[in-house]
């Protein structure tokens, strides 16, 4: 196709003459890149090098502004010119919906050896560290502060490592929707979210038939009118997953990273104790602040209280717990593991803190056999 490149339109040969359209965003992207005079290297379904990544990203985002109904009607007219005549007695035009969408985020590495150096640790981190609740958060599912799977959740969470001729793939699935990690063409790291059941997500729009057009959160529809929201949901999932992977890319030995927080220090004349990542109290604290639901919006004093002290308490004990958590937050800030979000009561893990805490938590949860294999 002159605009979409290699694609297909399949018309069912019998009533009701269902039409399936399959488009590839990377194939589509190549055409406007050529028009803009941008050089690129394309191998199969990915670009291993592009001349101007920022401009290419802008061209990709323009795909989200497509009038899908009009675009698909044009493809229908090409492939099935008799559709108007056949559908006229029923007064029924085609209704376009998306049975499956795949949204990929590609990270281009300088060369294949560089990606190969990190791909193994990424796979190991995803298999050994990401719990079922982490996978649920990646894919936008609600997980309470307790960190347990909600009782009302009815479904299956799976993680599979598949070795294929193209390479090794790590795939996580929640009730039919999935997020996967691939190495493409040796030098491209791809994280891809696939949505088959959009009704598990929400879109902010007026209800169908609402004359007042009042906006409220509704179930995400299969119709192409909500494709822009599917892209938002999928991009957010990819971003959460990449941020979780990024914490394993430090080159400093863990003993050197941990040494800084395992000794006391003075900040503005005030002394702060050392942290003990192997102790039950500090270990629980580090695991609590590194939870997936705090990645985007951060955490508050009361969020940590609910995790560290789940038992019910009277008003006085709640105040004591609040003061205790405030001291812990000050301790974490002094060691540079967290920072306060300006103008709020929320805190977020720093880049250094994310890398260090992820490594420490992974080491805490690793068994002897895993550590022995790494040492070998």
């Amino acid at each position: 196709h002159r605009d979409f490149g290699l694609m297909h339109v399949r018309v069912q040969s019998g009533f009701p003459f269902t039409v399936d359209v399959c488009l590839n965003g990377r194939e589509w992207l190549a055409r406007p890149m050529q028009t803009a005079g941008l050089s690129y290297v394309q191998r199969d379904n990915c670009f291993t090098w592009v001349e101007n990544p920022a401009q290419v990203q802008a061209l990709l985002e323009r795909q989200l502004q497509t009038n899908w109904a009009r675009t698909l009607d044009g493809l229908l007219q090409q492939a099935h010119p008799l559709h108007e005549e056949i559908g006229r007695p029923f007064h029924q035009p085609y209704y376009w919906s998306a049975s499956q969408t795949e949204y990929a985020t590609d990270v281009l590495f300088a060369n294949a050896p560089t990606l190969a150096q990190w791909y193994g640790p990424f796979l190991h981190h995803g298999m050994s560290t990401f719990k079922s609740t982490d996978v649920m958060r990646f894919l936008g599912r609600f997980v309470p502060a307790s960190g347990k799977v909600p009782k009302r959740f009815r479904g299956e969470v799976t993680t599979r490592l598949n070795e294929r001729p193209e390479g090794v793939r790590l795939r996580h699935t929640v009730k039919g929707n999935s997020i996967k990690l691939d190495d493409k063409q040796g030098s491209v790291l791809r994280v891809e979210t696939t949505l088959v059941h959009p009704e598990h997500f929400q879109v902010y729009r007026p209800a169908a038939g609402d004359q007042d057009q009042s906006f409220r959160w509704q179930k995400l529809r299969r119709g192409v009118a909500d494709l822009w929201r599917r892209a938002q949901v999928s991009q957010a999932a990819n971003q959460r997953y990449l941020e979780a992977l990024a914490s394993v890319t430090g080159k400093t030995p863990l003993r050197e990273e941990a040494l800084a927080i395992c000794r006391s220090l003075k900040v503005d004349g005030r002394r702060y104790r050392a942290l003990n990542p192997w102790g039950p109290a500090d270990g629980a604290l580090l695991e609590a602040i590194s939870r997936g639901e705090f990645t985007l919006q951060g955490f508050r004093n009361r969020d940590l209280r609910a995790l560290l002290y789940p038992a019910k308490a009277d008003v006085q004990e709640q105040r004591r717990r609040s003061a205790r958590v405030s001291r812990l937050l000050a301790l974490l800030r002094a060691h540079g593991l967290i920072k306060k979000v300006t103008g709020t009561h929320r805190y977020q893990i720093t880049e250094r803190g994310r890398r260090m805490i992820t490594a420490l938590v992974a080491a805490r949860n690793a068994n002897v056999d895993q550590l022995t294999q790494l040492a070998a």
Side-chain angles (χ1 to χ4, degrees):
H1 191 276
R2 65 179 185 182
D3 296 325
F4 304 122
L6 186 63
M7 47 91 67
H8 73 243
V9 181
R10 298 169 57 190
V11 183
Q12 180 178 298
S13 59
F15 187 82
F17 306 104
T18 303
V19 177
D20 290 319
V21 179
C22 182
L23 299 175
N24 183 293
R26 297 303 190 273
E27 280 284 332
W28 183 2
L29 175 62
R31 275 66 193 170
M33 288 172 63
Q34 293 170 3
T35 303
L38 294 172
S39 300
Y40 60 88
V41 176
Q42 184 178 13
R43 294 178 183 169
D44 195 17
N45 184 29
C46 65
F47 298 98
T48 58
W49 177 84
V50 293
E51 179 181 352
N52 188 329
Q55 190 174 351
V56 171
Q57 184 62 41
L59 292 174
L60 262 176
E61 291 172 358
R62 276 167 48 182
Q63 294 181 1
L64 302 179
Q65 302 170 12
T66 301
N67 184 326
W68 284 106
R70 184 172 60 195
T71 298
L72 295 172
D73 282 343
L75 295 173
L76 176 67
Q77 187 62 39
Q78 272 186 279
H80 185 25
L82 292 178
H83 72 94
E84 291 183 355
E85 179 180 343
I86 294 173
R88 189 176 297 120
F90 309 101
H91 305 286
Q92 180 62 54
Y94 273 82
Y95 176 81
W96 297 107
S97 61
S99 58
Q100 176 174 310
T101 55
E102 299 176 351
Y103 190 100
T105 300
D106 289 351
V107 181
L108 277 61
F109 281 70
N111 49 58
T114 304
L115 175 56
Q117 175 188 355
W118 291 111
Y119 194 60
F122 286 153
L123 294 175
H124 181 270
H125 185 58
M127 287 293 295
S128 63
T129 305
F130 295 158
K131 304 175 184 176
S132 294
T133 49
D134 293 320
V135 175
M136 292 175 69
R137 294 187 191 102
F138 293 146
L139 286 168
R141 305 289 302 195
F142 170 76
V143 176
S146 64
K148 297 180 180 179
V149 176
K151 293 182 179 179
R152 66 176 180 270
F153 177 77
R154 295 291 181 270
E156 186 179 37
V157 181
T158 62
T159 293
R160 290 188 175 90
L161 192 68
N162 299 323
E163 193 164 351
R164 306 165 299 129
E166 299 86 356
V168 181
R169 167 188 289 175
L170 181 61
R171 184 186 186 97
H172 314 275
T173 305
V174 180
K175 297 186 73 171
N177 298 321
S178 65
I179 187 166
K180 60 188 177 185
L181 180 70
D182 279 299
D183 58 333
K184 294 285 188 180
Q185 302 298 323
S187 62
V188 178
L189 181 71
R190 174 171 291 180
V191 174
E192 181 174 286
T193 294
T194 301
L195 298 186
V196 180
H197 297 289
E199 64 274 10
H200 298 160
F201 303 90
Q202 291 186 319
V203 58
Y204 195 61
R205 61 172 175 82
D210 183 5
Q211 296 182 352
D212 296 333
Q213 294 292 292
S214 55
F215 281 72
R216 56 179 178 268
W217 287 105
Q218 311 278 344
K219 283 187 177 180
L220 189 57
R221 299 168 292 187
R222 291 180 179 268
V224 295
D226 285 347
L227 274 180
W228 63 272
R229 176 59 179 165
R230 284 206 195 199
Q232 283 186 343
V233 167
S234 301
Q235 184 179 26
N238 291 354
Q239 186 67 26
R240 287 190 288 266
Y241 197 84
L242 283 168
E243 287 177 354
L245 287 180
S247 58
V248 304
T249 57
K251 296 182 180 179
T252 307
L254 179 58
R255 65 178 183 275
E256 296 182 18
E257 290 273 12
L259 184 62
I261 66 171
C262 292
R263 58 188 177 194
S264 61
L265 75 164
K266 278 188 177 182
V267 178
D268 296 331
R270 182 174 178 179
R271 186 179 181 85
Y272 293 89
R273 69 172 177 84
L275 284 165
N276 180 9
W278 314 117
D282 287 349
L285 174 63
L286 295 178
E287 290 189 359
I289 66 173
S290 65
R291 293 167 64 93
E293 66 262 37
F294 300 144
T295 301
L296 297 181
Q297 295 184 345
F299 52 88
R300 299 160 296 184
N301 183 303
R302 62 181 176 181
D303 295 326
L304 290 187
R305 271 184 283 148
L307 293 171
L308 299 177
Y309 311 108
K312 293 184 178 180
D314 56 29
V315 176
Q316 282 189 331
E317 177 60 22
Q318 288 179 0
R319 289 175 179 170
R320 283 194 288 268
R321 290 177 179 179
S322 177
R324 201 174 304 144
V325 171
S326 294
R327 291 193 292 271
L328 291 175
L329 291 171
L331 176 65
L332 293 171
R333 291 183 71 183
H335 282 285
L337 299 181
I338 65 172
K339 60 183 179 182
K340 191 170 184 181
V341 180
T342 305
T344 72
H345 296 290
R346 294 180 178 273
Y347 298 84
Q348 285 186 323
I349 299 180
T350 61
E351 182 178 347
R352 169 178 174 267
R354 174 71 63 185
R355 183 179 67 251
M356 188 184 307
I357 293 170
T358 300
L360 290 170
V361 170
R364 280 173 53 87
N365 294 329
N367 57 46
V368 174
D369 290 340
Q370 290 173 329
L371 294 176
T372 302
Q373 290 175 5
L374 290 174

